[in-house]
Amino acid sequence: MDQLKPSLGLCFFDNQLFYAVNDIYDTKKLARIGSVDFNFDVTRAILSGDKELFPGIRETVLKLKEQYSINHIRVLSFPSKECWTTLPKLVYDSSDEREAHISIIMKGVDRKQIQPTWYTLSNQDYKFLLLRNTEALRGLEKLTPDASTIELVSEFELGERWIRHCNPGGSFMTVCCFDNCISVSSYILGKLRGATYLTFDDAEDLPYLWMQHTKELSWMQGLHEEIHVYGSQSYRIIDILQPFWDDAGSIIKMDTLDKIKVEAEEETYGFNLELAYPAVMLALESKP
């Protein structure tokens, strides 16, 4: 009966935990979307494994698991703690080349701690490589040791979940806003075109960083029918970066159920729904 147990999606922004629980009978419906406030930076506490603060976060997750009889938990990973890169398919085809590139990119990290995952791109001459330092992200996996399964999901993978969720076709770009970085991903005709993240000390530096990245990543200035923005301070990020985005593209802040194309019992929330959007996407069960 495991297939009848709901899934829990989790994401973290600043001092808040956001969660969503899917409806096991309807792939377009959520049984619950909620948030939990803390009086400290949740991300920092998780990554550092703070002995005083981390147990409180884990206890909250365990309560959610028990309350909703959760079988599977998906957690949004932190882009700034991962490495994303695009490499020629020739590198992927040769095991020696693969390992050589991983060694160079993750210099100084024990190979046993490196988890590589390869993704297909719309341009089949290239492959997209995700590298995780499992030691750096151990805090996320420790959030709920009693869960049947826990899965870390990278931010750019939310676009793939969106495609399975509503099959949009065409092209779209996603921009997820964290307090010290933004994650940017591009999709065309149901396939990943490219992804990157930009770290910053001050969001006002983003125009310079955006232009710097577009010199190497042409897809960032490509045509996008829709630009989905969500996460922390989405309004501010839109104001800063809108001049650099395709004029013909519709900018959609994912702040309503209609925009996210889901149903839920509550229609209004005491928090900005665009902060919970990643948790919603992670909770949904959709056919691959």
Side-chain angles (χ1 to χ4, degrees):
M1 298 294 289
D2 284 349
Q3 70 272 19
L4 296 180
K5 292 184 179 180
S7 296
L8 175 69
L10 296 175
C11 65
F12 308 92
F13 293 104
D14 303 319
N15 67 330
Q16 292 177 293
L17 175 157
F18 295 91
Y19 66 91
V21 181
N22 71 310
D23 185 309
I24 59 176
Y25 301 108
D26 189 340
T27 59
K28 301 292 185 180
K29 190 173 182 179
L30 277 299
R32 176 69 177 172
I33 305 173
S35 70
V36 179
D37 294 347
F38 296 88
N39 61 358
F40 54 85
D41 188 309
V42 180
T43 301
R44 186 175 295 120
I46 291 173
L47 292 175
S48 67
D50 189 291
K51 293 182 179 179
E52 294 184 2
L53 304 179
F54 184 81
I57 305 172
R58 186 171 63 179
E59 182 64 24
T60 298
V61 176
L62 289 175
K63 286 181 179 178
L64 291 172
K65 176 182 178 292
E66 294 172 1
Q67 180 179 355
Y68 295 102
S69 301
I70 299 299
N71 182 57
H72 186 68
I73 299 177
R74 299 186 188 93
V75 186
L76 185 68
S77 185
F78 303 116
S80 59
K81 295 301 178 180
E82 299 179 334
C83 179
W84 306 353
T85 187
T86 299
L87 294 170
K89 185 174 180 298
L90 293 173
V91 171
Y92 171 79
D93 290 338
S94 168
S95 59
D96 290 341
E97 285 290 326
R98 288 200 305 268
E99 288 302 316
H101 277 76
I102 291 173
S103 177
I104 294 171
I105 295 170
M106 301 291 282
K107 185 177 181 180
V109 180
D110 190 327
R111 181 62 178 87
K112 294 179 181 179
Q113 297 177 9
I114 302 173
Q115 181 185 66
T117 308
W118 296 85
Y119 297 82
T120 300
L121 291 172
S122 56
N123 184 340
Q124 297 185 5
D125 291 333
Y126 292 87
K127 285 281 189 177
F128 188 79
L129 174 61
L130 160 67
L131 294 172
R132 284 197 183 119
N133 183 335
T134 55
E135 183 66 24
L137 292 170
R138 180 181 293 181
L140 289 175
E141 295 183 336
K142 284 185 174 181
L143 278 174
T144 173
D146 299 326
S148 298
T149 56
I150 184 166
E151 175 186 356
L152 300 190
V153 181
S154 293
E155 205 290 313
F156 66 86
E157 294 179 280
L158 294 189
E160 296 177 345
R161 298 187 68 82
W162 175 258
I163 290 168
R164 296 200 297 269
H165 173 53
C166 61
N167 190 26
S171 63
F172 67 95
M173 183 167 70
T174 66
V175 181
C176 183
C177 313
F178 297 86
D179 62 346
N180 63 349
C181 81
I182 62 169
S183 165
V184 186
S185 307
S186 177
Y187 291 83
I188 184 169
L189 298 177
K191 294 183 179 180
L192 177 66
R193 181 157 46 179
T196 190
Y197 56 84
L198 289 64
T199 58
F200 54 84
D201 294 322
D202 188 329
E204 296 299 329
D205 295 333
L206 281 173
Y208 166 76
L209 295 170
W210 189 275
M211 290 188 292
Q212 186 181 53
H213 277 68
T214 54
K215 291 179 181 178
E216 301 294 332
L217 304 173
S218 59
W219 56 263
M220 289 180 65
Q221 53 188 345
L223 301 178
H224 296 97
E225 297 170 28
E226 293 183 347
I227 300 170
H228 299 174
V229 186
Y230 47 90
S232 179
Q233 300 187 55
S234 295
Y235 273 120
R236 186 183 182 201
I237 300 302
I238 290 173
D239 287 341
I240 292 172
L241 290 179
Q242 185 172 358
F244 301 92
W245 296 339
D246 176 21
D247 290 339
S250 299
I251 299 174
I252 304 173
K253 188 158 69 71
M254 309 299 276
D255 57 359
T256 69
L257 296 178
D258 285 342
K259 292 177 183 177
I260 304 175
K261 302 184 187 302
V262 296
E263 298 178 9
E265 293 298 327
E266 301 94 342
E267 295 185 357
T268 58
Y269 296 87
F271 52 87
N272 295 330
L273 200 56
E274 69 268 19
L275 289 160
Y277 171 78
V280 170
M281 286 292 101
L282 294 175
L284 292 175
E285 294 288 354
S286 54
K287 295 180 181 180

